[in-house]
Amino acid sequence: MKSQFRFFQSAILASIFQASEALVGLSWSISNTPETGLQDITFPISMPNAPHVSGYYFAQQFNFKNQSNVGYTGLQPREDVESSSVIHAVFSSFINGTTSTDSNCKDGADGGAGVSCAVDIDASYEHGYHLKVNNTGGTTWSGTLIDAVTKNETHIGAYTLPEGSGGILGTQVGFVEYYPWNSQAQHSCATLPQTEVTFGIPTTESGEAGSLEEPYEYGDCLNEVNFATTEVDDGYWIAVGFP
Ligand SMILES: *[C@@H]1O[C@H](CO)[C@@H](O)[C@H](O)[C@H]1NC(C)=O
Ligand SMILES: *[C@@H]1O[C@H](CO)[C@@H](O)[C@H](O)[C@H]1NC(C)=O
Ligand SMILES: *[C@@H]1O[C@H](CO)[C@@H](O)[C@H](O)[C@H]1NC(C)=O
Ligand SMILES: *[C@@H]1O[C@H](CO)[C@@H](O)[C@H](O)[C@H]1NC(C)=O
């Protein structure tokens, strides 16, 4: 019990460290996760009311058994191209020794060790999306963006973890981050643009129940930006920033 608690605590600290300009966190879990970890997990995220402007990252983090650093998967709004809306989907690993030969992936994650994979697709903001992470053999994992309405699937990327890495552990935290602030020495919380996102309850093919806890504000703009959250049918809606 004690070591589990300490592990969870350090996982949260690691995630705060990496998501350095995160504004909102929320924890997820899957019940009865096997000792060896999960072979797949799906995180629903939708952003119908997010402005089509780069800057926000809506992500969920996950740990693999025997690795202390995390992986991320999530969505970022992008500017429209001509009259098409564009969504950027990310699948990354912060684990040193992760490798990839996938053309959507490159070495490094936020300037540190790991691999980052991403795609930009013409896609509707009206639809919800499922970000699926699944094992495709050995220590290789694939990230897929699935349109929740049309079920169309887009490959985000694939990477191979160091030998000895296991399945996905049953709990971690997600976040809302305004990443332009990561490269600035200082920022004014009052200039945070407004956005909205809904995080859905994670699922896994084994059918074990997933859950989300109520989103909370954190970081250096705590209590200084508009923040609202409401539980919806299948998750939590979050709004942050100023119109
Ligand atoms: C990754 O691991 C290698 C080999 O252990 C080490 O030399 C390197 O410094 C590590 N890279 C980072 C960014 O930690
Ligand atoms: C998951 O992995 C299997 C192979 O193990 C693959 O056939 C499938 O297309 C993958 N992707 C999804 C979204 O399930
Ligand atoms: C489905 O996804 C593929 C791969 O990203 C894309 O090329 C295609 O345009 C999409 N189709 C629809 C109907 O959205
Ligand atoms: C995780 O590490 C333990 C202890 O070193 C080892 O026994 C186990 O086989 C590892 N798990 C995987 C999936 O390799």
Side-chain angles (χ1 to χ4, degrees), residues 8 24-31 41-46 59-61 73 129 170-176 197-203 208-216 229-238:
F8 186 60
V24 178
L26 79 170
S27 64
W28 62 264
S29 58
I30 299 277
S31 62
I41 189 161
T42 297
F43 297 107
I45 302 180
S46 60
Q60 290 283 15
Q61 303 178 98
T73 190
Y129 290 90
T171 187
Q172 242 295 353
V173 298
F175 59 84
V176 174
V197 61
T198 297
F199 285 90
I201 294 168
T203 60
E208 291 294 348
S211 60
L212 283 178
E213 283 175 34
E214 189 174 344
Y216 52 89
T229 185
T230 306
E231 189 167 12
V232 294
D233 274 357
D234 50 358
Y236 281 95
W237 167 86
I238 296 166

Side-chain angles (χ1 to χ4, degrees), residues 73 104 133 240:
T73 190
N104 292 346
V133 177
V240 283

Side-chain angles (χ1 to χ4, degrees), residues 34-181:
E35 163 66 16
T36 51
L38 302 165
Q39 293 304 293
D40 72 278
I41 189 161
T42 297
F43 297 107
I45 302 180
S46 60
M47 50 181 195
N49 298 320
H52 299 186
V53 177
S54 301
Y56 275 103
Y57 187 18
F58 309 123
Q60 290 283 15
Q61 303 178 98
F62 42 88
N63 281 106
F64 297 93
K65 184 176 169 69
N66 287 351
Q67 295 292 348
S68 55
N69 286 312
V70 293
Y72 290 180
T73 190
L75 300 180
Q76 298 178 4
R78 284 290 182 269
E79 287 69 19
D80 291 351
V81 174
E82 288 159 9
S83 55
S84 301
S85 57
V86 178
I87 290 176
H88 182 80
V90 178
F91 173 57
S92 59
S93 162
F94 289 82
I95 298 164
N96 193 2
T98 308
T99 60
S100 180
T101 55
D102 192 298
S103 59
N104 292 346
C105 304
K106 59 180 173 47
D107 284 345
D110 285 359
V115 163
S116 304
C117 313
V119 286
D120 283 291
I121 62 160
D122 289 2
S124 171
Y125 282 56
E126 301 305 311
H127 298 180
Y129 290 90
H130 290 168
L131 291 138
K132 180 169 185 177
V133 177
N134 80 339
N135 185 277
T136 57
T139 59
T140 300
W141 296 81
S142 185
T144 307
L145 178 68
I146 305 167
D147 183 317
V149 176
T150 65
K151 312 296 180 204
N152 195 31
E153 296 191 3
T154 305
H155 175 71
I156 307 173
Y159 52 65
T160 301
L161 300 176
E163 207 177 315
S165 308
I168 294 172
L169 301 183
T171 187
Q172 242 295 353
V173 298
F175 59 84
V176 174
E177 175 191 50
Y178 189 62
Y179 60 80
W181 286 353

